Amino acid sequence: MRRKLACVAVFAIAFGANPASANPFTDLAALPTFYTDATMKTMKPMAGFKKAWFALSKHDRAKMTKACDDPAMRKPHAQFCANVLALSGVN
């Protein structure tokens, strides 16, 4: 019985892990704070963006900075990543 339970736990962990979780842009819950509208088409001015940026945890800021360092990730989010890199000191 323990062996069966262990196998089920391993499968639950393996298949429950979301491979897209490494991409902070898939977590749209944090992103609206950077935009002025619900459709996330208009970004806040730098002062508002900066306030939203520093309201994030250091871990979340590091994840976004790492994602924006990747050219493939940066391309579809060019303006957002330009602000992120400027505020994180990477740029």
Side-chain angles (χ1 to χ4, degrees):
M1 183 66 174
R2 284 186 179 163
R3 187 176 192 173
K4 187 176 181 180
L5 187 59
C7 288
V8 170
V10 168
F11 281 118
I13 291 169
F15 292 112
N18 184 358
S21 64
N23 178 357
F25 298 114
T26 60
D27 179 20
L28 297 178
L31 294 180
T33 59
F34 295 99
Y35 294 89
T36 60
D37 57 343
T39 62
M40 296 192 309
K41 299 283 185 204
T42 307
M43 202 172 316
K44 289 183 178 180
M46 186 52 122
F49 191 96
K50 185 176 182 178
K51 184 177 179 180
W53 175 250
F54 287 109
L56 293 175
S57 70
K58 286 184 179 183
H59 178 263
D60 288 342
R61 291 194 309 252
K63 265 191 348 186
M64 283 191 181
T65 301
K66 184 177 179 181
C68 284
D69 264 344
D70 179 4
M73 294 292 284
R74 183 174 47 230
K75 189 174 183 177
H77 308 283
Q79 184 58 47
F80 182 88
C81 284
N83 288 352
V84 165
L85 295 176
L87 290 173
S88 65
V90 175
N91 205 2

